[in-house]
Amino acid sequence: MKRKGLLAISLVLVACLLLAGCSSAPKSSAPAAPAEKVLKLRLPSSLSSLNPQNTTATRDVKVWTQIYEGLYGIDESKNGYYMELAKDVKLSADKKEYTITLRDGVKFHNGEPLKASDVVFTYNRAKKDPRFGYLTAKINNVSAVNDSTVKITLSEAYAPIVHTFSSLKIMNEKEVTSLGDKFGTVPSKAGTGPYFPTEYAVATGVKLQAFEQYWGGAPKIKKVEYRVISDDATVQVAFRNKELDYLEDASLSNWDTLKAEAGPENNVMIKGNNIHFMAVNYQSPTNNSILANDKVRQAIFYAVNKDDINKAMAGGMGMPAITYMPNEYVPTSPVTGFETYKFNQAKAKELLKEAGFPNGVEVGTIISYPSPTSFNGRIAQVIQSNLADVGIKANVQIAENAIITPKMYSQNYDIAVFSDSNNFDFNNIRQQVHSESKGMYLVKYKDGKFDWQRIEKLVEQGAAASENSERLKHYTELWKIIMDTATINPLIHRPVAIVWAKGLNIGKPVPTYYKVKEFSWQK
Amino acid sequence: MSQATVQTPDKIVFKKQSQAKEVWRRYKKNKGAVIGLVLFSFILILLAGANFIVPYSAATKGVFSQINQPPSSEHLFGTDSYGRDVFARVLYGGRTSLMVALLATASSCLIGSTLGAIAGYFGGRVDGVIMRSLDIFMSIPDILFTMAVVFALGANFQNLLIALTLAYFTNYVRLVRSQVLNLAEQDYVEAAKAGGSGSTRIILTHILPNAMGVIIVNTTLNVAKIILYESTLSFLGLGMPPPAPAWGLMLAEAREFMRAAPHLMFFPAVAIVVSASSINLIGDGLRDALDPKLKS
Amino acid sequence: MYRYVINRLLFLIPSVLGVIFILFLVMSMTPGDPARILLGDAASQAQVDELNRQLGYDLPFMEKYVRYVYKMVVEQDFGVSYFTKQSVFEEIWPRYKVTVSLAFIGIVLSSLIGIPFGIYTAVRQYSLWDTIPSLIAFFIAAIPSFVLGMLLLYAFSLQLNWLPSYGIESFSSFIMPALAVSIPPAAFNLRFTKSSMLESIRQDYVRTARAKGASEHTVIWKHALHNALLPVVTNVGMSLGNLICGAVVAEKLFSIPGIGSLIVDRITYKDEPVIIAGTILISVCFTVVMLLVDLIYAYIDPRIRAKYARVKG
C-alpha cells in the first residue's frame, strides 16, 4: 500500500515535469514552394527589439534597415548618402534650415500614407532619448509645413546632419502610439521599408514578409528569416549545410575553406568600414606618469607592428590603418600629410634611450574587451608582444564590456584597444576628440597639455564647411595634430568576408548595410 | 577497535603504516590504477621540469612570422595563431590548469569536510541550519553561480579558485556528514565521548581519519572534474585570462581555427583527456584499494 | 509519508526566498549598471540615474529584495526585462520548457544508456562486453563537454550532413543537443553503476545467497541489483546540476533558445529580473527532482519505507 502511494506521487511529479518539458513538442514544417523560398540570414545575437529607437547597435540596425527607412539612406556601394524618403531638400542661406519634401506615394506597412507629422513624431521621440543625443544635439526644431513638407532647424550650420537624417528611421505615429509600451516587443507595421515583421521572438529571431505596396516596387524575395546563431564555429557548419543563405562577417580564420565551399561566384572580401585602434592615456599616473613622456608614447607607437596585428587577427587579409576612417567610405577622411608611425623597432629603442630608459620600461596594463578571442582581445595580445620586443613591459586585461568600457570612458586606464565602425562622415571623429562628446572620449584632451582648443575648433570648422575639399583641409590639419600627440593610433581596418548560397543573387556586395530588397533567387 | 582510545600515539602510527602498506599492496594489483599513477607522475614531472625543456617565453611570446604552423621537428605540436609554440603552451598551460584544479579541490575539500563534520557530529539544530542553507545553495545550478561570481569578481587565478571552491564544496559537506553520522554511532567514538575527549579532538582524531578513505577517493575524482569544468568556463569566456597559457583557454582560442588548424585544438584536448583519465584511473584504483570487499 | 512530501514541498518557500537573496547579493557585487548599458556611452549621468530609478535598480538592497518578493507573491509579476522590455515571464517560460525538456531527456537517456550498461559490464566483468563500453565511458568522462559537442557537430552536421547544426524546432534538430547533453552523464552513470554493482555483488548477503544455492540469475537481479541501485538513483538526481551545465554548453553551441544560455547572456547585461526569475524556475525544478529522487529511493529501499510508515503512524 505504501508502495502504491509512493508510486502515485512519483508518477504525478514525473507527469508534471513531462508536461512542463514536452509541451514544446517538435513540429515539422512542410517544404516551401520555390517562389516562397525563405531567405535565411544570421543574427549573431538576439535582436533586442523591433523598435528602431531601442539602440544604436549596428547588429540590430542592420535588421531594422530592412523594415524602416530614414529621410536619407546609406548606400556603401555608391559612396554614401542618398535621398530615401526625402524627395527634395532645400537649405536656407544661413545653412541652418532644411526644408524637406517627402516622397510621394509612400505607405506604411499598416496602409497609412507617410505624412510630415510622422517625421515630426519620430524626431521628437529621438530628441528625448539620450542614446540619440549625439545625433539630435544640433536640431533645434522639427515642424510640419504641410502634409508632405518638413522643416528642420539647426542651432548652427552643420553639414554632417545628413548622418542624422539617415540614422533616424521614420515610424508611423498612429501605430507606435496605439501599441504604447508594447511597441518593439511584438511585430508591428510601423515602417515604410520593403519588409515587415510577421513573427518575432527574442530567443530565436524574426521573420519578415515582403511589403507588396513598397514605394520602390515589391521586393523579389518574399520571405526572410533572421535566426539567432551565436556560435561562430556552428555558423560555418550551418552555411555549409545550406541552413543559411547569406553569411556576412564570416570567419577570417577559416576563410579559405569557406570560400571554397561557397564557390568562386559566391564569395567576396571587402574592406570593412571599421577601425580598431589603440588609445594611450597620457594622463595615467602609472609608474610616475610614465605615459606623460612624449618619447615613451612615440616609442610605443613605433614599436607596434600593424602587419603582425593583421596576421594574427585577420589572417593577413586586413588593411593596416593610418587614419580613423577608410577614405573609400568617407570622402572627407584625410589620407596624407600627417605622421603615421611606420613600424620601426630601432627608432622605438632610440626614443626609449632618449627618454632615459635604455633598458626598457613598464607602462602598465593594456585593456580590451569583450573576450580574449575577440578581434580587440587578440590585438591587445599582439601589442603586448610587440612592446616586449623593444623592452616595453605591459600587462593585458581583457574582460566584458560592462567591466572595461567604463574604465575607458573615465580615463582610468593606461593603454586601451577599442574599435568603432560604420562612420560615413569624418565629423564622427568628434566623439573621440571633442570635449562635448560624452562617450568614447577615451583620451581627454580638454585642459590637457596639447592644443585642445585648436582641436575642437577644427572639428567645428570641419562640420560647418559644406564643400568637401574645404572639410578635408580642416580634417587633415586636425588629424596631423592628433597623430603628433601620439595618443590615438589607428591600427587596422578589418576586412568583411561574405559568402552566400548558390542560386542567390545579392547585387553589389556591401560591408555593412546590405539591402535584402536587392537580393533575388536565380531562376 | 574499541581499545583505540587507550592506544599510545606510537601504536596509531604503526597501525597507520601497516594500513597504508595494505592499501598500497592492493593498489599495485590493479593494472589500470598503476598505469594511471605512472602516467600522472610522468605528467607532473614533465610539467615541473618544463623550464628545462622549453623556455617560458616560447609559450607567451608571439612570433608572427610563423602563425598556425602544423607540427614539425622545430615545433613538436606546431604553432598557434600568435606564432607561439603549442608544445610549450601545453606544458606551461598544464601547470596553471592542474594548479587550479588541485588548489580548488583542496580548498573545497577543506571547507566542505569541516562543515560536514560539524553538521554530522553535532546534529540537531546545527545540522539543520547547515543542511538547509546548503539545500538552498545547491538549488542554484553550479554553472550559473560560478559565472555570476567570476563576473562579479573578475576572471583571474584567485577568483577562479573562489568560484570553483563555491561550486564544489557542497559535495564534501554531504559526503562527510553521512560518513560522520555512520561513524558517530561506532563504539570507539562513543567510548571517546565517554572518556571526556573534546568534540574537536574526537572529530579530528577519530572521525576524520576513518572517513578519510571516501574523502580521498572523491577528492581525486574531483580534480579531474575541475580540469574539465575549467575548460567549460573558458568556453563561456570566463576562464583563465590570456596571454598566460591554460588548457581551457587554449581550447577556447583554438575553436575558431578548428578547420584551418585542427592541431591547435587537438593537443590541449589530448592533454586534458590524458590527465583527466589518469586521475580517474588513480581514483578508481584508490576506491578499490581502500575498500577491501571489492577485491576478493 | 504524505506529510513528508508536503513538508518538502513547503520547504520550497524558504528555498526560493533564499535563492532570491543570494542572487541579489551576488548581483549587487557585479560591476556596471543596467541603465548605462542600455542608454549607451553618450548618455549623461543624470539620464542614467533617472532610468535606473525608473527600473527600480537604484533601490537599497533590502528594499529591492522585499519589493521583488512582494511583487512576485502578491501580483505574480516577475517584472519586465531591462534589456528587451518584454515581460519576463513571457520571455523565460518558453525557454524554460526547452531547457527542462533537454535536461529531462538528458536524465532519461543517460540513465537508459548508462545504468543497464553499467550493470551488464559489472556482471560480465573482464569480458569484451565489459572492456569496450567501459573504455568508451572512461574516455568520454575525460573529454570537456563542449569539445564533445563540437565533435558531434563536425561529425553529424559537417561531415555526414545528417542533422541540422542549430535550433531545436524539428525532431532532427533535437537529436544532436540531446546526445550532447546525455552522453557525458551516461558515461558517468555507467562508471558509477558498474562500481556500485561490483561492490554489491561482493557483499556478504550476495555471497550467502549464492552459497544457499540460489540461481545466478536470482542472485544478480534480485539481491545484488537491488542494493546497487540505491546509490545510483541518488547519483542520477545529483547529476541534474551537471546536466544544466551541459545544457548551457549545448544551448550556446547549437543556438538553442534555452533558459541556461539566456541567464548566462544576461548576466553581462545585469538584467536582474530575467536572471533571478530564470534561476528561481531552475531551482524549483531542481528541488522537485531531488524530492522525486528521494521518493524513488524510498520506493526501492524497504528500510526507508519502514521509516516513513513510522513517521506517519
Side-chain angles (χ1 to χ4, degrees):
Chain A
M1 206 217 93
K2 288 282 165 276
R3 270 193 173 215
K4 271 186 191 153
L6 276 166
L7 196 64
I9 295 176
S10 308
L11 281 175
V12 168
L13 285 170
V14 167
C16 289
L17 281 176
L18 268 176
L19 274 177
C22 295
S23 50
S24 63
K27 43 181 181 275
S28 62
S29 51
E36 290 280 275
K37 194 175 170 195
V38 180
L39 176 77
K40 290 199 189 113
L41 299 157
R42 175 207 193 189
L43 282 174
S45 58
S46 288
L47 181 69
S48 67
S49 173
L50 284 173
N51 172 4
Q53 292 189 355
N54 194 56
T55 163
T56 51
T58 312
R59 282 178 172 185
D60 288 3
V61 176
K62 278 182 187 177
V63 180
W64 296 333
T65 306
Q66 320 303 335
I67 306 170
Y68 299 95
E69 294 171 310
L71 293 173
Y72 274 68
I74 293 174
D75 188 343
E76 294 154 294
S77 69
K78 293 196 190 105
N79 211 347
Y81 304 99
Y82 63 94
M83 283 187 258
E84 197 160 48
L85 293 179
K87 186 173 75 181
D88 180 54
V89 180
K90 283 197 181 71
L91 186 55
S92 67
D94 63 357
K95 294 180 183 166
K96 282 187 189 174
E97 207 174 88
Y98 288 75
T99 309
I100 301 177
T101 316
L102 300 178
R103 193 177 284 279
D104 308 312
V106 178
K107 276 202 164 117
F108 285 105
H109 301 143
N110 60 359
E112 296 267 313
L114 169 70
K115 283 193 295 212
S117 58
D118 294 310
V119 180
V120 176
F121 167 76
T122 302
Y123 275 62
N124 285 340
R125 206 173 144 106
K127 270 175 81 72
K128 284 184 217 137
D129 192 328
R131 277 167 295 192
F132 293 88
Y134 77 101
L135 288 170
T136 56
K138 306 282 180 203
I139 298 181
N140 263 1
N141 184 44
V142 182
S143 60
V145 178
N146 56 43
D147 262 3
S148 62
T149 316
V150 200
K151 195 193 279 176
I152 298 175
T153 321
L154 308 185
S155 53
E156 61 194 79
Y158 191 68
I161 194 70
V162 183
H163 181 63
T164 304
F165 292 165
S166 80
S167 299
L168 295 181
K169 311 287 183 195
I170 308 303
M171 304 181 286
N172 181 241
E173 179 174 10
K174 203 169 144 195
E175 181 86 4
V176 174
T177 0
S178 71
L179 277 168
D181 282 346
K182 287 232 132 227
F183 178 66
T185 65
V186 291
S188 57
K189 297 189 163 184
T192 60
Y195 291 92
F196 62 92
T198 51
E199 283 177 46
Y200 167 54
V202 178
T204 48
V206 58
K207 288 184 182 165
L208 306 180
Q209 169 104 42
F211 180 42
E212 296 297 326
Q213 290 152 288
Y214 178 59
W215 59 268
K220 296 184 199 79
I221 291 178
K222 300 300 176 194
K223 286 194 165 160
V224 179
E225 181 181 353
Y226 277 97
R227 179 63 166 77
V228 177
I229 308 175
S230 47
D231 193 89
D232 285 332
T234 308
V235 82
Q236 296 175 38
V237 181
F239 178 75
R240 225 293 301 261
N241 274 3
K242 302 186 171 61
E243 296 169 75
L244 199 64
D245 297 310
Y246 178 85
L247 174 61
E248 39 149 12
D249 264 327
S251 160
L252 300 173
S253 327
N254 295 318
W255 178 236
D256 289 340
T257 324
L258 269 173
K259 200 162 76 172
E261 282 168 2
E265 305 290 319
N266 295 65
N267 78 80
V268 69
M269 177 165 292
I270 33 189
K271 185 168 176 179
N273 184 9
N274 54 48
I275 180 73
H276 294 266
F277 67 93
M278 68 188 267
V280 180
N281 181 13
Y282 71 94
Q283 290 167 320
S284 159
T286 303
N287 193 4
N288 298 321
S289 298
I290 184 79
L291 292 172
N293 188 321
D294 294 343
K295 294 217 159 86
V296 171
R297 284 200 316 282
Q298 285 165 6
I300 291 175
F301 273 39
Y302 279 114
V304 171
N305 186 345
K306 295 174 187 176
D307 287 330
D308 284 353
I309 292 173
N310 191 5
K311 278 184 206 152
M313 159 264 202
M317 294 171 284
M319 186 68 77
I322 52 167
T323 176
Y324 197 82
M325 296 168 209
N327 186 264
E328 289 92 324
Y329 301 112
V330 186
T332 47
S333 176
V335 279
T336 58
F338 46 84
E339 177 63 63
T340 58
Y341 299 96
K342 203 170 175 332
F343 174 57
N344 189 339
Q345 285 188 333
K347 187 149 190 188
K349 284 181 185 159
E350 182 60 36
L351 281 162
L352 277 185
K353 208 193 229 167
E354 284 172 27
F357 307 103
N359 302 319
V361 63
E362 285 189 24
V363 295
T365 307
I366 306 171
I367 59 169
S368 193
Y369 65 97
S371 74
T373 51
S374 65
F375 291 119
N376 285 337
R378 301 175 71 84
I379 291 174
Q381 294 179 66
V382 178
I383 293 177
Q384 182 193 35
S385 197
N386 279 165
L387 296 186
D389 284 339
V390 297
I392 301 173
K393 207 170 159 292
N395 300 316
V396 166
Q397 189 201 358
I398 302 164
E400 304 282 347
N401 300 28
I403 297 168
I404 295 295
T405 45
K407 286 190 182 188
M408 292 181 173
Y409 301 144
S410 56
Q411 287 91 30
N412 179 19
Y413 69 92
D414 304 313
I415 298 175
V417 177
F418 197 79
S419 59
D420 192 2
S421 63
N422 306 308
N423 293 304
F424 295 95
D425 193 309
F426 203 77
N427 174 61
N428 284 8
I429 196 72
R430 84 168 49 223
Q431 289 178 304
Q432 304 297 339
V433 301
H434 197 292
S435 61
E436 74 169 25
S437 159
K438 283 166 197 127
M440 295 179 88
Y441 193 44
L442 267 61
V443 181
K444 195 174 173 225
Y445 297 105
K446 197 182 181 204
D447 302 328
K449 62 185 207 171
F450 304 114
D451 189 358
W452 63 274
Q453 290 97 336
R454 180 73 192 147
I455 292 176
E456 298 195 351
K457 180 100 188 129
L458 283 165
V459 171
E460 281 150 19
Q461 283 178 339
S466 48
E467 284 302 312
N468 270 2
S469 58
E470 198 191 340
R471 298 185 68 195
L472 185 60
K473 202 185 86 206
H474 294 305
Y475 288 146
T476 305
E477 188 191 341
L478 170 69
W479 194 243
K480 183 181 181 310
I481 297 177
I482 299 289
M483 288 308 279
D484 285 341
T485 64
T487 48
I488 289 181
N489 192 7
L491 300 170
I492 188 166
H493 303 297
R494 191 182 74 243
V496 174
I498 306 173
V499 285
W500 59 96
K502 295 206 170 74
L504 177 69
N505 206 327
I506 65 161
K508 193 170 178 203
V510 290
T512 324
Y513 294 118
Y514 58 86
K515 295 190 168 68
V516 176
K517 68 173 181 191
E518 309 284 337
F519 292 14
S520 61
W521 296 114
Q522 280 159 10
K523 293 278 149 42
Chain B
M1 285 294 256
S2 56
Q3 72 265 43
T5 44
V6 291
Q7 270 177 341
T8 63
D10 290 340
K11 276 183 189 157
I12 292 176
V13 170
F14 176 71
K15 188 172 155 272
K16 271 185 189 158
Q17 263 177 359
S18 68
Q19 232 174 17
K21 258 187 202 158
E22 178 59 20
V23 168
W24 174 237
R25 193 185 60 78
R26 284 199 295 260
Y27 186 92
K28 270 195 303 190
K29 277 206 256 169
N30 186 336
K31 243 184 286 169
V34 173
I35 294 176
L37 190 63
V38 171
L39 259 181
F40 192 62
S41 316
F42 179 69
I43 293 172
L44 284 185
I45 292 170
L46 213 58
L47 298 187
N51 298 63
F52 301 103
I53 308 170
V54 275
Y56 183 65
S57 62
T60 50
K61 178 83 197 52
V63 184
F64 299 95
S65 53
Q66 46 167 39
I67 284 174
N68 286 347
Q69 284 177 356
S72 64
S73 57
E74 199 183 339
H75 299 285
L76 274 183
F77 291 177
T79 58
D80 73 358
S81 55
Y82 298 87
R84 301 175 296 207
D85 185 58
V86 176
F87 179 65
R89 282 181 75 73
V90 168
L91 283 189
Y92 289 98
R95 280 190 183 179
T96 320
S97 294
L98 283 186
M99 192 68 91
V100 167
L102 292 172
L103 286 178
T105 308
S107 58
S108 52
C109 176
L110 204 70
I111 296 172
S113 304
T114 313
L115 276 176
I118 293 171
Y121 183 80
F122 291 103
R125 200 170 279 173
V126 178
D127 183 34
V129 169
I130 292 181
M131 294 316 286
R132 291 292 83 75
S133 327
L134 199 72
D135 280 345
I136 295 172
F137 194 78
M138 279 177 71
S139 71
I140 304 175
D142 291 347
I143 184 76
L144 301 180
F145 197 73
T146 325
M147 277 212 53
V149 170
V150 174
F151 185 67
L153 303 176
N156 61 34
F157 191 84
Q158 298 160 2
N159 296 343
L160 216 55
L161 275 188
I162 296 174
L164 290 170
T165 305
L166 284 172
Y168 279 89
F169 83 95
T170 51
N171 298 340
Y172 291 97
V173 183
R174 295 190 151 224
L175 190 81
V176 172
R177 176 177 171 269
S178 68
Q179 287 290 313
V180 171
L181 282 180
N182 280 336
L183 292 168
E185 288 167 14
Q186 303 278 344
D187 296 342
Y188 63 93
V189 176
E190 297 285 336
K193 271 188 198 167
S197 303
S199 311
T200 322
R201 199 182 139 80
I202 293 179
I203 293 178
L204 286 180
T205 57
H206 297 291
I207 293 182
L208 278 185
N210 283 293
M212 223 40 172
V214 188
I215 297 177
I216 289 175
V217 172
N218 265 277
T219 308
T220 318
L221 297 174
N222 246 4
V223 175
K225 275 189 209 159
I226 293 184
I227 292 178
L228 300 186
Y229 196 61
E230 189 244 338
S231 65
T232 302
L233 283 179
S234 284
F235 167 74
L236 296 171
L238 286 165
M240 287 293 294
W247 286 343
L249 175 70
M250 291 178 71
L251 277 184
E253 280 182 340
R255 256 164 54 73
E256 210 189 315
F257 300 91
M258 179 76 172
R259 300 176 74 190
H263 69 274
L264 291 185
M265 194 147 190
F266 180 76
F267 291 108
V270 166
I272 288 182
V273 170
V274 170
S275 46
S277 24
S278 62
I279 293 169
N280 279 341
L281 280 174
I282 296 175
D284 290 353
L286 278 175
R287 182 175 47 217
D288 295 355
L290 288 166
D291 186 355
K293 267 179 288 194
L294 279 184
K295 283 281 153 195
S296 53
Chain C
M1 204 352 270
Y2 294 100
R3 207 201 291 168
Y4 172 77
V5 175
I6 288 166
N7 272 340
R8 283 286 297 264
L9 288 175
L10 279 179
F11 180 67
L12 270 174
I13 296 168
S15 170
V16 166
L17 291 180
V19 167
I20 300 173
F21 186 82
I22 294 175
L23 288 170
F24 269 120
L25 193 69
V26 175
M27 292 312 291
S28 72
M29 293 192 292
T30 58
D33 68 77
R36 174 56 75 190
I37 297 167
L38 281 175
L39 293 180
D41 320 317
S44 71
Q45 193 55 43
Q47 288 166 320
V48 169
D49 293 342
E50 169 61 18
L51 183 61
N52 271 333
R53 201 187 55 76
Q54 285 172 15
L55 294 173
Y57 175 80
D58 63 340
L59 295 171
F61 179 78
M62 276 318 285
E63 193 181 338
K64 199 149 76 167
Y65 175 68
V66 172
R67 268 187 192 218
Y68 186 89
V69 173
Y70 177 83
K71 273 198 123 178
M72 188 182 79
V73 175
V74 180
E75 299 168 16
Q76 284 91 45
D77 181 7
F78 285 101
V80 173
S81 160
Y82 293 163
F83 178 60
T84 63
K85 318 273 192 312
Q86 306 252 358
S87 142
V88 168
F89 190 77
E90 277 167 34
E91 195 171 340
I92 61 178
W93 185 245
R95 285 171 171 256
Y96 177 69
K97 288 192 288 193
V98 169
T99 301
V100 167
S101 45
L102 206 56
F104 187 77
I105 285 180
I107 287 197
V108 172
L109 266 186
S110 65
S111 307
L112 284 183
I113 301 169
I115 297 175
F117 266 110
I119 297 167
Y120 199 70
T121 50
V123 175
R124 294 284 171 88
Q125 208 188 3
Y126 305 125
S127 77
L128 209 60
W129 288 105
D130 166 31
T131 325
I132 294 174
S134 297
L135 262 182
I136 295 175
F138 176 75
F139 278 112
I140 289 174
I143 298 180
S145 53
F146 75 88
V147 175
L148 192 78
M150 281 192 77
L151 290 176
L152 288 174
L153 182 72
Y154 278 77
F156 290 112
S157 271
L158 190 69
Q159 298 300 331
L160 300 169
N161 207 347
W162 287 351
L163 300 173
S165 56
Y166 64 85
I168 198 159
E169 288 83 7
S170 65
F171 180 71
S172 58
S173 61
F174 205 88
I175 298 174
M176 208 150 54
L179 284 179
V181 169
S182 333
I183 291 177
F188 192 67
N189 282 342
L190 187 154
R191 284 164 51 74
F192 196 88
T193 312
K194 184 185 172 187
S195 72
S196 174
M197 191 70 189
L198 284 177
E199 198 171 334
S200 167
I201 285 176
R202 295 190 174 106
Q203 295 281 349
D204 294 341
Y205 54 85
V206 175
R207 286 193 207 170
T208 316
R210 271 209 183 101
K212 278 200 315 211
S215 75
E216 190 63 21
H217 189 267
T218 320
V219 169
I220 301 284
W221 297 108
K222 200 161 168 219
H223 299 279
L225 181 62
H226 200 247
N227 276 285
L229 278 187
L230 289 177
V232 171
V233 169
T234 320
N235 178 53
V236 168
M238 299 289 285
S239 68
L240 188 71
N242 289 333
L243 268 163
I244 299 283
C245 178
V248 171
V249 170
E251 284 166 19
K252 277 269 182 193
L253 206 53
F254 304 115
S255 298
I256 297 166
I259 199 167
S261 54
L262 173 77
I263 298 175
V264 166
D265 286 343
R266 297 292 167 82
I267 283 178
T268 55
Y269 288 98
K270 286 204 93 173
D271 198 346
E272 282 179 347
V274 169
I275 297 166
I276 291 171
T279 314
I280 291 173
L281 279 187
I282 293 186
S283 82
V284 168
C285 171
F286 199 89
T287 314
V288 171
V289 169
M290 292 308 283
L291 173 59
L292 202 60
V293 166
D294 283 356
L295 292 179
I296 297 175
Y297 202 97
Y299 182 71
I300 300 175
D301 192 343
R303 283 170 298 182
I304 295 183
R305 222 167 41 237
K307 225 170 168 182
Y308 285 139
R310 270 214 307 278
V311 169
K312 198 195 172 193

